[in-house]
Amino acid sequence: MKKSTLYSKIGLLIIFSVSLFGNKLCAQVQFIQSGKIEFEKKTNQHAPLQDEPDNIWNAERMKAFPKFVSDTYEIKFNNNKSVYKLAKDNPNNRYMIWGGKPVDTDATIQDLKQGTSVTQKEVFENTYLIKDSSRSWEWKIADETREIAGFECRKAVTRICDSVVVVAFYTDQIPVSAGPESFGGLPGMILGLAIPRLYTTWFATKVELTEPTNNDFNLKQKGKTVNRTELTAELLKGVKDWGKEGATRIWMAQL
């Protein structure tokens, strides 16, 4: 075989191999601009009671109620908006805390382009419509990573109410700055969230490449219209004598 012919075949083989390898890389690195994500929200109901191991009343409550309750939530999103709401509650749940049961009309819509959010939230049997600018979270991004729902996610940490730590895991393969509840502000979608002092986690279980409709973002919402500052001031009046439980309720309202 002539050298020129051999070199030509080797060159074609190299080009073909590089092409295949490049296509494989393209297939692996897929950036998702719209879709639906399902989350499992899970709460440890016994944890707040374990600080008083000799309390007989608490011991009886832990016998009567399950340690964990979990429900399925979803985020539908595109480049401009996201909506977070209950997808399916668990009929086997028995909630220890009054007001702990999820409300199927609660929802948060974030306008990522305009930098605004609208949240319908039931608190103490009152319904509020919270209209405000998007939350400004001071995230600290760490080197730690973990895989969630098939996506590599990076850890980030922030706080609510000055002292309550929030741990998030986001993926830049979904370059949409949103997440469960009203969280966002990271360079990608939040697929994992944990608030240790609320004994609650949110972790994505499924990501679907579906395009949301306009109706998905145009939920019928009602309630007393307030901004976040006004809501907090109103709730503080109602729970001023509740002690530790009152603080917990304020934290939950800030999500």
Side-chain angles (χ1 to χ4, degrees), residues 233-244:
E234 189 166 321
L235 295 181
L236 282 171
K237 292 179 183 177
V239 302
K240 62 181 179 180
D241 298 322
W242 287 30
K244 186 177 179 180

Side-chain angles (χ1 to χ4, degrees), residues 21-33:
F21 183 68
N23 288 337
K24 186 177 180 180
L25 283 178
C26 290
Q28 288 175 341
V29 183
Q30 182 181 13
F31 294 97
I32 298 172
Q33 306 292 334

Side-chain angles (χ1 to χ4, degrees), residues 84-101:
Y84 169 82
K85 61 186 182 67
L86 180 70
K88 181 173 60 178
D89 62 349
N90 185 344
N92 298 320
N93 283 341
R94 288 186 296 116
Y95 291 90
M96 184 183 297
I97 301 173
W98 174 65
K101 182 177 173 60

Side-chain angles (χ1 to χ4, degrees), residues 205-235:
T205 57
K206 184 195 302 184
V207 178
E208 297 180 4
L209 304 182
T210 58
E211 184 73 32
T213 66
N214 288 332
N215 287 335
D216 289 325
F217 301 118
N218 294 325
L219 302 179
K220 292 182 179 179
Q221 294 184 301
K222 62 180 181 180
K224 179 180 179 180
T225 301
V226 293
N227 60 33
R228 282 187 290 274
T229 301
E230 291 168 340
L231 174 64
T232 301
E234 189 166 321
L235 295 181

Side-chain angles (χ1 to χ4, degrees), residues 20-79:
L20 282 178
F21 183 68
N23 288 337
K24 186 177 180 180
L25 283 178
C26 290
Q28 288 175 341
V29 183
Q30 182 181 13
F31 294 97
I32 298 172
Q33 306 292 334
S34 62
K36 182 177 82 169
I37 305 170
E38 286 191 358
F39 290 83
E40 180 190 34
K41 179 184 177 182
K42 189 173 184 179
T43 301
N44 183 337
Q45 299 192 113
H46 289 189
L49 307 181
Q50 292 170 344
D51 293 338
E52 302 178 49
D54 298 328
N55 187 311
I56 297 175
W57 170 240
N58 285 348
E60 290 301 317
R61 292 174 71 192
M62 286 190 283
K63 289 179 184 178
F65 291 90
K67 183 175 183 179
F68 293 100
V69 289
S70 64
D71 296 286
T72 303
Y73 284 76
E74 67 180 19
I75 291 177
K76 293 182 179 180
F77 66 94
N78 58 26
N79 280 329

